[in-house]
Amino acid sequence: MEKWIRARYLPGIPLGKDGKRVTAGKENIVLSRRAAGEGMVLLKNQGVLPLRHGCRVALFGKASADYVKGGGGSGDVTVAYVRDMFDGMIEVMGEEAVYPGTMKYYRNYVAAQYEDHWVPGMVAEPPVPEVLLQEAREFTDTAVISISRFSGEDWDRKSDRAKITRKDPVTGDAVSMSDVLFERGDFYLSDAERTMVETVSQAFDKVIVVLNTGGMMETACFRNNPRIQGLLLAFQGGMEGACAAAELLAGVTCPSGKLPDTLAENLDDYPGCVDFYDSDTYVNYTEDIYVGYRYFETIAGAAEKVVYPFGFGLSYTRFSLSEQQVSFTEDEVEVRVKVTNDGGCPGREVVQVYFSAPQGLLGKPAKELAGYRKTKLLAPGETEEIAIRFPLSQMASYDDLGKVVRSARVLEKGEYRFFIGTSVRDGAWAEETWILAEDRVTEQLTARMVPTNLEKRLRADGSYEELPTAPCNDFNYTALAPMTPEVLFANPETRAIPRISHFAPKDGMKLKDVAEGKMTLEAFVAALPAEDLAALLGGQPNVGLANTFGYGNNPVYGIPNIMTADGPAGIRFHKNIGVTTTAFPCSTLLAASWDPELCGEVGTAVAQEAKENNIMVWLAPGVNIHRNPLCGRNFEYYSEDPLLAGKQAAGLVRGVQSEHIAATPKHFALNNKETNRRNCDARVSERAIREIYLRQFEIVVKEAHPWSLMSSYNIVNGHRASEYKDMLTGILREEWGFDGMVTTDWWTLGEHYKEVAAGNDMKMATGFPERLLEALEKGVLTREEMEKAAINVLRLILRID
Ligand code: BGC
């Protein structure tokens, strides 16, 4: 078969078994719904769930009709339809079981708000009409309240308790954020929502709350309210997520999701929130490695702020863990445990193993997730034996200040203990411990990404230690005349890109010759004129359905134009094209499934949709850490814990690439704030970088070998991420062995030649070949650096089929 048929001819051949399209086809939508059910987390259940067979319900809250399938911006997906909670409950329980009055009321209201340009999740909560309340009360004693949340790219979430003000960048005056947002609520309920919840919970005997949110939000008000007996964290479950939630409420399926984040009482309880809005130009990561449960379980006084702990989630059945055993080999820990379903319905449980390392000189979190495994669906009475293995070296800490051995990963001497359970708090310490007599270096590295402007960081005992500083802000420097915004943000469709070679190819060589083994990639690239090399390092115009541009595109040398498309909840096409795809659940829900194989199934399904639509590179998964609830893109990301995020995303990447479509883990790295994302400096210690913020990327790179990776917009320790050689070459390639292509995020403010020199191979959405050539001439970029990048670009293209 000829290579790159789809890239070259854009055929419309369906990939379904029966000659039908897989895109938004039944199988994928069924998978999307199944995945949604696997990740939703049951947080509270005082005998009210599952709903009794034949019972009737009344739905409250505008979110019953205003279902949010996923977040906004590039993470959105264009779909043919989205089911709401009424659809779900009617489908699962029957039309006669759902009170019709609120359905009419909320649907009409929400439709009018959409007409008025409000997007799903941003519609304000209307009052509950007294007459509906009474009628509903006569219809049933059971109320299901829905609350939904929306967030998106390029803006962060807000606290509606604190009055947030920011400075106008031009006048310097204090400007307060939109009052509309405050009223509509975000992490906290809005006043109108609080009133609605209060009104409904006073009127009904049984009250269940469904949270349809991609990010964390307050839950203490539900946990503490005795009139609310059920609470389901349903996340943003994709186009049929509401049906999956209904199936869980009705007991058609049994909840098995577990929290991928700690749910704390207040926003200020998260250490990363404290100074989040202090500046638009920098964020000090002073909490260091104490992110999420590492903070709440370690720092004195923090534990009581937790409403629902990391890893927590209820089921309709009961499980017992027995015959736990921990054993050690030269370099591995193995935990064995039997899980038995002691309850009355089939269900799945997640076994979680945490380790506790000696405090030593470096200081450690009280617990760290070491491994996990979800059981198969266990029938009542059935037992499964689980084995979880992890390397001893995984328990090492990175010594950035040389307290034991500088720039090394170190296992400090002392006793290592293991906690086996079903959340970070539910479980028991194993009797077996691992004792190390002498400090052990597991890996000697070199100092990379050293902080320059971070003055202090948190320690395990709650005190702060001072860090050396050496101010550095190299991100505005360029050896060329600075670029104007007109040039920087020029549309690649209209910009004249000298992408077609004016030179006759040497011996008529074509990239296919490399694919067929007739010449090496190195020889091919070495024969390309500088102009073609330069053009190859920037984005190419869209063809077909694509809207995020492509790579390659040099017909003279037989280099196809490989199209990209966004994710991570599916393939995103423009709304006005008329091609819809499957919207899968948001990434946080996928993380909450604690099931990497399920992520793999989703990855495979999305890749098939990509392929069918002649897209070859998927710009997903997003794997940044949930440092705090405010980041507007948390719904696109997995977890506060890098191991969980890394393992789940690795599963997804394996699924995608099994279809010969490239995955693109993003945004590398430390893009944890959307406000001023192109110019905000993440100031963070080397240790936190290696143990928290890069760790999930490392897992994905080493375990799933993604063919490409996207660097981020932001600045890290004074360097633009896309120009940061320490990160893109030093750590990514030299330490981890990454052999794929690195692309920038779209329209970074980075200088193209500096990006190429740093190991960022591709500039999107458009490159600046003329600047590369100028830099080459001035000697600030070498031909060798350009060839290296071109080899990575072409290697990616060669991998695709
Ligand atoms: C986002 C990326 C996305 C790209 C292309 C950027 O604004 O940050 O995640 O892949 O646009 O749409």
Side-chain angles (χ1 to χ4, degrees):
M1 176 103 149
E2 254 184 276
K3 210 158 159 65
W4 305 303
I5 296 275
R6 287 187 177 267
R8 286 161 59 200
Y9 307 108
L10 308 181
I13 307 164
L15 289 178
K17 286 185 215 102
D18 45 8
K20 289 197 183 130
R21 276 169 65 78
V22 294
T23 306
K26 189 146 183 260
E27 267 182 45
N28 285 359
I29 294 178
V30 167
L31 170 63
S32 165
R33 178 163 163 170
R34 173 160 65 84
E38 291 281 339
M40 293 180 183
V41 184
L42 183 62
L43 294 174
K44 180 175 181 181
N45 187 13
Q46 295 176 335
V48 73
L49 292 170
L51 294 167
R52 245 183 324 104
H53 187 69
C55 86
R56 307 209 283 185
V57 291
L59 272 54
F60 287 92
K62 58 90 195 182
S64 317
D66 183 31
Y67 185 80
V68 180
K69 70 176 192 312
S74 60
D76 198 2
V77 177
T78 305
V79 284
Y81 66 87
V82 177
R83 297 256 188 270
D84 68 13
M85 284 303 291
F86 289 107
D87 291 321
M89 295 305 281
I90 287 173
E91 187 194 305
V92 173
M93 301 186 66
E95 198 158 0
E96 62 297 337
V98 180
Y99 170 61
T102 51
M103 178 159 79
K104 196 162 163 221
Y105 171 66
Y106 286 122
R107 281 197 171 159
N108 285 344
Y109 166 76
V110 167
Q113 294 280 305
Y114 289 173
E115 279 282 296
D116 197 19
H117 306 295
W118 286 104
V119 298
M122 296 304 272
V123 169
E125 187 66 47
V128 180
E130 183 57 34
V131 43
L132 288 185
L133 197 68
Q134 277 183 18
E135 242 185 60
R137 187 62 195 86
E138 282 159 27
F139 183 82
T140 178
D141 63 352
T142 308
V144 175
I145 297 175
S146 293
I147 311 258
S148 60
R149 287 291 179 271
F150 175 78
S151 69
E153 178 176 1
D154 217 8
W155 53 284
D156 287 303
R157 300 180 63 203
K158 306 289 176 282
S159 152
D160 57 3
R161 289 257 177 97
K163 193 74 183 161
I164 296 164
T165 51
R166 285 173 45 199
K167 279 192 179 148
D168 182 298
V170 182
T171 63
D173 294 338
V175 194
S176 48
M177 304 295 294
S178 150
D179 285 338
V180 176
L181 272 179
F182 288 123
E183 264 181 34
R184 281 166 198 255
D186 202 339
F187 178 83
Y188 295 107
L189 298 190
S190 66
D191 291 346
E193 285 171 332
R194 226 172 272 285
T195 307
M196 181 270 293
V197 171
E198 195 49 33
T199 310
V200 176
S201 56
Q202 287 303 328
F204 289 82
D205 294 339
K206 299 177 187 164
V207 182
I208 298 142
V209 174
V210 175
L211 299 178
N212 167 209
T213 174
M216 295 169 241
M217 59 179 295
E218 72 167 318
T219 47
C221 59
F222 306 119
R223 181 198 59 183
N224 300 343
N225 186 342
R227 298 204 57 83
I228 293 172
Q229 300 93 350
L231 178 62
L232 179 72
L233 177 55
F235 296 107
Q236 294 167 339
M239 60 200 293
E240 292 207 355
C243 301
E247 285 175 331
L248 284 168
L249 297 182
V252 176
T253 49
C254 178
S256 65
K258 303 279 177 180
L259 288 178
D261 296 305
T262 308
L263 299 183
E265 195 148 345
N266 287 305
L267 260 181
D268 291 348
D269 297 336
Y270 294 90
C273 285
V274 179
D275 51 9
F276 191 74
Y277 282 114
D278 274 8
S279 165
D280 276 357
T281 53
Y282 64 84
V283 180
N284 289 326
Y285 285 52
T286 41
E287 77 285 3
D288 208 47
I289 57 167
Y290 299 98
V291 177
Y293 70 86
R294 286 171 169 77
Y295 173 83
F296 291 106
E297 302 304 311
T298 310
I299 305 298
E304 49 267 35
K305 296 172 178 166
V306 174
V307 183
Y308 293 109
F310 179 81
F312 174 78
L314 300 170
S315 169
Y316 293 151
T317 186
R318 289 184 321 277
F319 296 95
S320 59
L321 271 50
S322 61
E323 297 178 38
Q324 288 99 322
Q325 270 179 13
V326 185
S327 57
F328 311 98
T329 62
E330 263 297 273
D331 43 30
E332 238 188 21
V333 182
E334 185 186 77
V335 176
R336 284 187 169 274
V337 54
K338 285 191 173 158
V339 186
T340 305
N341 182 349
D342 297 325
C345 74
R348 302 180 74 188
E349 180 56 293
V350 179
V351 179
Q352 305 164 32
V353 178
Y354 297 83
F355 72 86
S356 172
Q359 282 300 314
L361 294 174
L362 300 175
K364 317 279 162 56
K367 282 179 190 154
E368 292 187 66
L369 185 66
Y372 60 92
R373 180 66 53 79
K374 193 168 190 170
T375 65
K376 62 180 187 198
L377 191 71
L378 292 176
E382 195 178 353
T383 297
E384 183 177 337
E385 188 170 349
I386 299 272
I388 296 169
R389 292 181 198 88
F390 57 95
L392 285 166
S393 59
Q394 198 181 297
M395 300 190 290
S397 306
Y398 182 75
D399 182 5
D400 50 6
L401 293 185
K403 291 177 184 168
V404 183
V405 178
R406 192 181 214 102
S407 309
R409 291 194 195 271
V410 187
L411 285 167
E412 285 198 84
K413 61 175 180 263
E415 184 178 32
Y416 289 75
R417 298 183 305 137
F418 304 93
F419 184 85
I420 307 166
T422 54
S423 85
V424 72
R425 291 197 181 163
D426 300 305
W429 291 101
E431 277 170 22
E432 302 90 340
T433 62
W434 185 67
I435 298 184
L436 186 63
E438 292 301 326
D439 294 338
R440 183 187 293 176
V441 169
T442 59
E443 201 179 3
Q444 180 62 58
L445 300 164
T446 42
R448 307 260 197 207
M449 303 178 72
V450 179
T452 50
N453 291 318
L454 182 68
E455 289 170 359
K456 59 173 189 177
R457 69 168 167 201
L458 186 62
R459 284 199 285 220
D461 64 3
S463 66
Y464 284 88
E465 81 179 321
E466 284 184 19
L467 293 176
T469 55
C472 153
N473 295 305
D474 86 340
F475 51 87
N476 280 329
Y477 170 78
T478 170
L480 314 180
M483 272 198 288
T484 60
E486 292 73 39
V487 178
L488 197 56
F489 296 115
N491 184 347
E493 301 283 15
T494 52
R495 203 169 172 270
I497 302 172
R499 63 182 182 280
I500 297 178
S501 176
H502 303 294
F503 304 87
K506 185 176 163 238
D507 305 328
M509 72 173 191
K510 300 268 187 219
L511 187 60
K512 172 158 90 47
D513 300 334
V514 180
E516 289 167 1
K518 292 184 189 144
M519 72 188 295
T520 65
L521 184 52
E522 288 69 22
F524 181 87
V525 167
L528 288 177
E531 289 78 359
D532 290 286
L533 263 186
L536 207 48
L537 307 186
Q540 302 299 322
N542 289 316
V543 290
L545 298 171
N547 62 65
T548 48
F549 309 99
Y551 308 144
N553 194 26
N554 190 327
V556 176
Y557 291 95
I559 302 172
N561 193 4
I562 296 285
M563 288 297 110
T564 66
D566 263 315
I571 298 292
R572 180 179 67 89
F573 292 132
H574 262 313
K575 291 204 164 37
N576 49 10
I577 296 177
V579 176
T580 58
T581 57
T582 307
F584 289 90
C586 72
S587 304
T588 313
L589 185 152
L590 290 182
S593 75
W594 292 64
D595 183 349
E597 278 80 38
L598 179 75
C599 294
E601 284 184 67
V602 170
T604 304
V606 175
Q608 285 167 352
E609 296 202 3
K611 191 183 272 185
E612 191 169 65
N613 293 290
N614 309 315
I615 298 293
M616 289 88 196
V617 178
W618 191 36
L619 305 173
V623 294
N624 296 82
I625 290 294
H626 291 168
R627 175 172 177 257
N628 71 48
L630 291 172
C631 173
R633 292 185 89 172
N634 276 355
F635 69 95
E636 293 190 54
Y637 306 146
Y638 286 72
S639 169
E640 66 186 24
D641 180 79
L643 183 99
L644 179 63
K647 298 276 178 188
Q648 296 291 107
L652 186 109
V653 168
R654 280 192 292 268
V656 173
Q657 296 193 165
S658 68
E659 290 292 316
H660 299 271
I661 295 294
T664 316
K666 63 186 185 184
H667 309 88
F668 192 59
L670 288 123
N671 189 174
N672 302 301
K673 183 172 178 177
E674 287 298 294
T675 312
N676 194 27
R677 60 184 174 160
R678 285 186 170 82
N679 254 329
C680 191
D681 187 12
R683 301 170 172 177
V684 53
S685 82
E686 244 190 294
R687 179 173 180 191
I689 286 177
R690 288 182 181 276
E691 290 186 22
I692 307 287
Y693 296 99
L694 258 55
R695 174 94 192 285
Q696 74 286 13
F697 284 102
E698 181 177 3
I699 293 171
V700 176
V701 165
K702 290 185 175 167
E703 296 184 9
H705 310 288
W707 297 341
S708 63
L709 199 96
M710 188 190 296
S711 61
S712 53
Y713 288 123
N714 53 288
I715 297 159
V716 184
N717 287 337
H719 306 265
R720 278 192 198 288
S722 59
E723 299 175 347
Y724 209 172
K725 192 166 186 174
D726 251 9
M727 181 169 88
L728 300 172
T729 299
I731 293 183
L732 180 64
R733 293 188 192 278
E734 292 170 10
E735 286 184 18
W736 302 348
F738 177 72
D739 71 348
M741 184 198 91
V742 178
T743 175
T744 63
D745 200 340
W746 275 222
W747 291 281
T748 53
L749 297 185
E751 166 66 79
H752 196 174
Y753 84 84
K754 286 169 75 183
E755 292 176 331
V756 172
N760 199 121
D761 312 302
M762 169 65 65
K763 187 168 182 75
M764 291 301 276
T766 179
F768 300 93
E770 64 286 353
R771 286 179 83 81
L772 292 184
L773 295 174
E774 193 187 334
L776 188 64
E777 206 180 289
K778 288 208 161 112
V780 287
L781 179 69
T782 64
R783 171 142 182 137
E784 195 195 341
E785 286 164 336
M786 287 173 75
E787 284 191 14
K788 247 194 217 169
I791 287 173
N792 291 330
V793 173
L794 294 177
R795 191 184 300 116
L796 169 73
I797 294 176
L798 286 163
R799 282 170 158 165
I800 283 156
D801 226 345

